[in-house]
Amino acid sequence: MIQSKTRWVYEEANEQQQQLAQQLAEQLSLPSLVAKLLVSRGIVDVASARSFLSDTEEQLHDPFLLEGMQAAVDRIQEAVRCGEKVRIYGDYDADGVSSTAVLHRVFKQLGIDYDYYIPHRVTEGYGLHNAALDDAAASGIGLVITVDTGISAVEQIEYARQLGIDVIVTDHHEPPHIIPDACAVVNPKQENCRYPFKGLAGAGVAFKLGHALLGRPPLECAEIAALGTVADLMPLTGENRIIVRLGLKQMQQTTNPGLRALSEVADIELEDVRSTDIAFGIAPRINAAGRLAHAELAVELLITGDPEEAIAYSLQLDALNKQRQKIVEDLVDEAEQMWQLKCEACRLAGEELPAVIVLAGQGWNAGVIGIVASKLIERHYLPTIIISIDAETGLGKGSARSIDGFDLHAALTECAELMVHYGGHQAAAGMTIRSEHIPDLAAALSALARSWLSKEDWVRKTTIDVACTPGEAGLETAAHLSRLEPFGAGNPSPRLLLRQVELEEARTMGKGSKHMRLSVRHTSGRLEAVNFGGGALACRLSQGAIVDLVGELSVNEWNGNRKPQLKVADLRVEAVQLFDLRGNGEEAGELLRERIARRLEAGTEASSIVVAADGKLANAEVAAAQAETERAAQVVLADYDDEQQLGDLACRELILLQFPPSAARLGRLLRACRGLESVVALYSADRRRRAGFPQREHFGKVFQHIRKLAPAGIASDALRTKLSETIGWMPDVVGMMLDVFAELEFISIQDGQVVVHPAPRKRELQESKRYSEALQQAQEDAILLASGRELTNWINRTINEQ
């Protein structure tokens, strides 16, 4: 039995959905699994499916459907006619950098007199600032165009008006109640905007402005718009999907020196670039500039036409990213210690633990606190805010990340009076706050989280798209899944559920055995799988175990061979497993020590390993195993009659070192083990035990031996030993036969002496109560020598009887 790490969310397809999937498969020549995936994501008709699977520019929406777009275009065209100087005002993250680079390319084509400005993350902070507007006025700027920012800059835009500067806002963040009085505001999330797609990134809005200005989609900017869209975790659905698909296609053959150089240092093959390469390779390096230096470095990389400059910029960004990784690692450790101390203080005070992590520290690097918040969510799955406090001003700049079900922007809006400024969306946000208000913010957010979230919301969930068999997850299906790309936010890589498959093999792989390779089978076929980071699970999975797997299907290429492979995200085993190592005889002690070491290394939390045995040999073996681990207290030696003392013990694994006295006694022990995951059978069944229960002829031969050995009487112990050696039955079986003979008055046992009756009358074995009891127990105990599958089934039936 192994519990899944997450809460699995899966809705079985109904009859109508199954019919729709069949129609899509037939009319579009798709594998049935791909058709089922489309239907599970709401794509239920042929036209919608064709649109989803294509990536033509004709699918892009009319940019003038965006509220404010016409006014923005008119004002920019006026600036062109008048030779007015224009400034692009961007943000310092990858989306803001990309947005700036998109408008740079468009404005260059239009011959606009322009420059760009991006505030410094630490010295200036997020958004439009009066000081920056003063600089614009001094530089003779008549028009400022914000990208990926500005929707909340009501006061700043009024200040710009006083300076004689017009402002066009292009943004995608949630609009506040009061919209800035700019000469144009372009944001698909405005209340009165009839644009059909609301999920554009800042770079997507800039792309649409370019579309409106040029009178055609600026496909030459698609790769940069795709970078911003993926980096900002925008949903890869609707128009975003089209922009990113077009951008990836362009990026595969890009002539942009910056992208080529950055891809090289990130070890990305552009010919096969995917959205995940942007998310985990390109975007972190672009973001590193704004986090640790200045985002201008990243903008220059994207707009330069000089390959040598591009190489220099990319090397700087790569170095900054490595520096960022080290800073994040140190800050996560410090924040984790702070969180543990806070939790301990709550426990000592008898208070409820906080429902939201809010941590603040002086001098923390404001450029990486968002990453730190994400790391803490990975560990604790709680909404998290990390705040960097300026010691001189007492102001804190915070970055927040959330979990499913908790709307950060809505929660911060409830606490707006505690902050100087805030902005963001449901999953991520930022704020400026005075340090003395941080405790109040933490308390208020925890109260909201407890009020808004259900018990299930606190458990990390895995959403499953469709259930399938290994036979359905073939190479053709894996290849067709690429048509559903790009994968990311809003269009995650499909999660498949393989139910009740038999485990053929589980073994560790990779450096330090950190990963696990699996092979599973089903009546429909076989499938290989890999679980990255799951190496510790290998020793907890037994051959033949029936498992459920959730993962992503891919194509594994090695030495020219292509095979389907499931990348396992989570797994579970619902039954108690049996590790069948019976019959190893003299190797049992070594196997015991090895098993205990591997199990403790894999982690048993506060639970124990119980070794069921008795005798001096068992004590010695267990002591040897305990001596080889620092967690010896978790290894408990128990007799088969110790079920009462195990009542309060969390026993994850039961090791049967010696042959159980009976199935009944083993059953009582199994039922006493709370939270049992697995049973390891190490006991040896020698030839005499495998002989089974004696038949009538065996009883006859034994009685003849007794007559020869004890005509005038013999000690019962000596007779039992002699008969066992002579005829090959176990001593306890011989003792049972003597009891039966005594009950049937074939012999008598007095004062330990066995005397044969001189003329016993003929009687049937079934007349003996002892015989009947022994036969019934033998039939029950036969399970102890049964096949691994039969013994596994009996163990689980026995446990479920309690």
Side-chain angles (χ1 to χ4, degrees):
M1 181 179 295
I2 297 177
Q3 298 289 337
S4 59
K5 297 181 297 184
T6 60
R7 172 170 55 94
W8 294 4
V9 179
Y10 174 57
E11 184 176 343
E12 295 275 4
N14 58 37
E15 186 176 348
Q16 182 183 13
Q17 290 171 321
Q18 293 174 14
Q19 292 174 353
L20 290 170
Q22 185 176 351
Q23 292 172 11
L24 291 182
E26 292 172 353
Q27 296 185 42
L28 297 177
S29 300
L30 295 173
S32 62
L33 183 59
V34 176
K36 291 176 185 177
L37 284 166
L38 289 171
V39 171
S40 74
R41 298 194 173 184
I43 303 165
V44 297
D45 60 83
V46 173
S48 298
R50 281 204 176 98
S51 175
F52 185 83
L53 297 173
S54 64
D55 52 11
T56 61
E57 61 184 275
E58 288 76 17
Q59 294 176 275
L60 295 170
H61 302 304
D62 180 354
F64 289 100
L65 293 176
L66 281 160
E67 180 70 22
M69 182 62 81
Q70 185 64 60
V73 169
D74 291 345
R75 182 61 185 85
I76 293 170
Q77 290 175 342
E78 179 185 340
V80 174
R81 288 192 300 270
C82 299
E84 195 172 8
K85 293 185 69 174
V86 177
R87 174 164 291 177
I88 305 166
Y89 191 102
D91 186 27
Y92 40 66
D93 69 359
D95 189 19
V97 165
S98 301
S99 305
T100 303
V102 167
L103 284 195
H104 161 85
R105 180 170 291 191
V106 172
F107 285 5
K108 189 174 183 179
Q109 292 183 52
L110 292 172
I112 296 175
D113 183 9
Y114 72 96
D115 63 12
Y116 73 87
Y117 184 95
I118 294 181
H120 191 280
R121 181 189 288 263
V122 177
T123 59
E124 295 176 272
Y126 175 81
L128 191 60
H129 300 282
N130 288 351
L133 292 169
D134 288 336
D135 178 81
S139 301
I141 301 295
L143 175 63
V144 169
I145 303 173
T146 71
V147 288
D148 192 36
T149 189
I151 194 64
S152 300
V154 176
E155 296 177 0
Q156 291 82 1
I157 289 174
E158 178 58 33
Y159 182 71
R161 186 192 305 278
Q162 296 171 15
L163 295 175
I165 299 174
D166 282 344
V167 178
I168 294 173
V169 173
T170 74
D171 201 351
H172 73 118
H173 293 98
E174 294 290 341
H177 295 302
I178 301 176
I179 302 296
D181 187 17
C183 63
V185 175
V186 181
N187 184 331
K189 293 178 181 174
Q190 290 184 88
E191 189 175 338
N192 57 343
C193 183
R194 56 194 178 95
Y195 197 69
F197 183 67
K198 305 296 184 181
L200 290 170
V205 179
F207 182 86
K208 300 306 296 185
L209 178 58
H211 186 174
L213 288 167
L214 295 172
R216 60 170 178 80
L219 299 183
E220 63 274 22
C221 302
E223 59 190 358
I224 306 300
L227 165 58
T229 300
V230 173
D232 216 42
L233 302 179
M234 290 296 101
L236 298 187
T237 57
E239 198 166 33
N240 281 347
R241 175 179 170 79
I242 301 166
I243 291 172
V244 174
R245 282 179 72 105
L246 291 170
L248 288 171
K249 184 179 292 187
Q250 181 190 7
M251 202 177 289
Q252 290 170 358
Q253 302 174 356
T254 187
T255 58
N256 185 299
L259 287 176
R260 297 195 69 86
L262 195 60
S263 297
E264 186 172 344
V265 300
D267 198 25
I268 293 171
E269 296 289 340
L270 281 176
E271 294 77 12
D272 191 36
V273 66
R274 300 190 175 189
S275 55
T276 50
D277 296 315
I278 294 176
F280 300 110
I282 296 175
R285 289 169 171 82
I286 294 291
N287 273 321
R291 296 185 192 282
L292 301 184
H294 199 291
E296 285 183 0
L297 175 62
V299 175
E300 291 300 317
L301 171 88
L302 295 178
I303 67 177
T304 185
D306 185 337
E308 291 189 4
E309 275 190 0
I311 292 172
Y313 290 142
S314 66
L315 291 173
Q316 290 180 63
L317 289 175
D318 190 53
L320 286 171
N321 190 51
K322 290 175 180 175
Q323 182 183 347
R324 186 268 307 169
Q325 290 171 330
K326 180 63 171 65
I327 292 171
V328 167
E329 182 181 339
D330 293 343
L331 188 47
V332 167
D333 289 343
E334 185 178 348
E336 178 65 29
Q337 291 178 20
M338 187 180 294
W339 172 243
Q340 293 301 331
L341 288 173
K342 180 178 283 192
C343 291
E344 183 62 23
C346 289
R347 282 189 284 266
L348 291 174
E351 298 174 355
E352 194 173 10
L353 296 182
V356 176
I357 298 175
V358 180
L359 303 172
Q362 287 189 3
W364 285 356
N365 189 304
V368 302
I369 54 178
I371 302 175
V372 175
S374 296
K375 296 284 186 183
L376 290 182
I377 284 183
E378 289 176 10
R379 294 186 180 190
H380 304 290
Y381 201 64
L382 294 173
T384 301
I385 301 178
I386 304 297
I387 302 170
S388 174
I389 299 175
D390 187 315
E392 293 184 4
T393 65
L395 285 176
K397 293 181 179 178
S399 189
R401 299 292 184 270
S402 193
I403 63 175
D404 286 339
F406 188 65
D407 188 329
L408 260 182
H409 189 267
L412 292 176
T413 299
E414 293 284 332
C415 310
E417 72 282 356
L418 295 173
M419 294 170 287
V420 177
H421 173 81
Y422 73 96
H425 43 80
Q426 180 175 351
M431 77 286 297
T432 301
I433 184 172
R434 300 202 63 82
S435 58
E436 61 266 25
H437 292 156
I438 293 174
D440 292 337
L441 178 65
L445 290 175
S446 282
L448 288 172
R450 292 191 187 98
S451 173
W452 291 356
L453 299 181
S454 67
K455 183 179 179 180
E456 285 189 338
D457 289 328
W458 297 107
V459 181
R460 195 187 309 270
K461 72 177 181 180
T462 295
T463 301
I464 297 168
D465 292 276
V466 66
C468 68
T469 65
E472 291 178 293
L475 189 60
E476 180 188 4
T477 299
H480 270 81
L481 286 178
S482 63
R483 298 183 65 186
L484 305 185
E485 294 187 26
F487 298 134
N491 185 46
S493 182
R495 291 284 175 88
L496 310 181
L497 169 61
L498 274 69
R499 285 187 289 211
Q500 299 292 289
V501 293
E502 181 180 348
L503 181 67
E504 289 186 325
E505 181 185 29
R507 56 186 173 87
T508 58
M509 56 177 274
K511 186 177 180 181
S513 298
K514 290 183 178 179
H515 314 300
M516 177 172 61
R517 185 174 295 282
L518 304 161
S519 177
V520 297
R521 68 182 176 188
H522 184 266
T523 53
S524 66
R526 297 177 66 259
L527 183 65
E528 293 183 357
V530 62
N531 184 201
F532 292 110
L537 279 173
C539 72
R540 296 174 59 191
L541 289 166
S542 63
Q543 184 178 9
I546 304 302
V547 301
D548 296 334
L549 301 176
V550 173
E552 301 169 10
L553 187 64
S554 62
V555 177
N556 181 33
E557 297 190 31
W558 179 255
N559 289 335
N561 294 321
R562 303 176 79 246
K563 292 182 179 180
Q565 177 178 265
L566 188 75
K567 294 181 180 178
V568 177
D570 203 359
L571 62 81
R572 69 186 177 200
V573 180
E574 295 186 320
V576 173
Q577 298 179 83
L578 171 69
F579 291 84
D580 191 0
L581 303 176
R582 292 174 293 175
N584 286 281
E586 297 177 357
E587 300 177 9
E590 182 180 341
L591 289 171
L592 173 68
R593 292 191 292 273
E594 179 184 331
R595 181 66 195 177
I596 288 175
R598 290 179 64 191
R599 192 66 168 89
L600 291 177
E601 183 180 348
T604 59
E605 302 169 351
S607 55
S608 299
I609 298 171
V610 173
V611 182
D614 52 22
K616 294 180 180 179
L617 174 62
N619 280 303
E621 297 290 5
V622 173
Q626 289 174 322
E628 295 179 11
T629 176
E630 296 178 356
R631 299 162 67 187
Q634 290 182 237
V635 184
V636 179
L637 177 62
D639 185 81
Y640 282 101
D641 289 325
D642 283 345
E643 65 266 17
Q644 289 186 347
Q645 77 173 50
L646 299 180
D648 295 326
L649 186 67
C651 171
R652 290 291 182 260
E653 184 156 283
L654 175 63
I655 300 178
L656 308 179
L657 180 59
Q658 293 179 329
F659 203 99
S662 69
R665 286 169 68 180
L666 175 57
R668 290 196 296 270
L669 190 63
L670 287 168
R671 288 189 288 269
C673 292
R674 180 168 53 85
L676 188 63
E677 289 183 359
S678 53
V679 174
V680 181
L682 286 176
Y683 58 80
S684 178
D686 63 20
R687 177 183 57 82
R688 292 177 296 176
R689 285 198 183 275
R690 291 195 297 271
F693 191 76
Q695 301 299 310
R696 178 183 176 84
E697 60 268 24
H698 299 132
F699 276 89
K701 289 180 180 179
V702 169
F703 188 64
Q704 294 303 320
H705 278 288
I706 294 173
R707 279 183 162 176
K708 292 178 182 178
L709 293 172
I714 186 174
S716 61
D717 290 343
L719 179 60
R720 183 184 294 110
T721 302
K722 186 67 175 177
L723 286 171
S724 180
E725 293 173 351
T726 303
I727 63 178
W729 288 99
M730 293 289 290
D732 58 340
V733 176
V734 173
M736 178 273 297
M737 297 170 89
L738 292 176
D739 291 342
V740 171
F741 290 144
E743 186 180 352
L744 297 176
E745 299 179 344
F746 291 176
I747 64 174
S748 61
I749 304 176
Q750 298 176 358
D751 299 327
Q753 293 289 310
V754 176
V755 178
V756 178
H757 197 288
R761 65 185 180 90
K762 186 177 180 180
R763 300 182 66 178
E764 295 297 326
L765 291 173
Q766 288 78 6
E767 295 180 47
S768 167
K769 182 179 179 182
R770 178 73 178 91
Y771 173 84
S772 299
E773 291 174 347
L775 177 60
Q776 182 178 351
Q777 180 175 334
Q779 291 170 342
E780 293 174 357
D781 292 350
I783 194 64
L784 302 176
L785 299 171
S787 69
R789 176 65 60 83
E790 290 174 312
L791 182 54
T792 300
N793 292 338
W794 177 83
I795 287 171
N796 281 279
R797 286 198 308 270
T798 301
I799 291 172
N800 291 332
E801 286 173 0
Q802 56 187 339

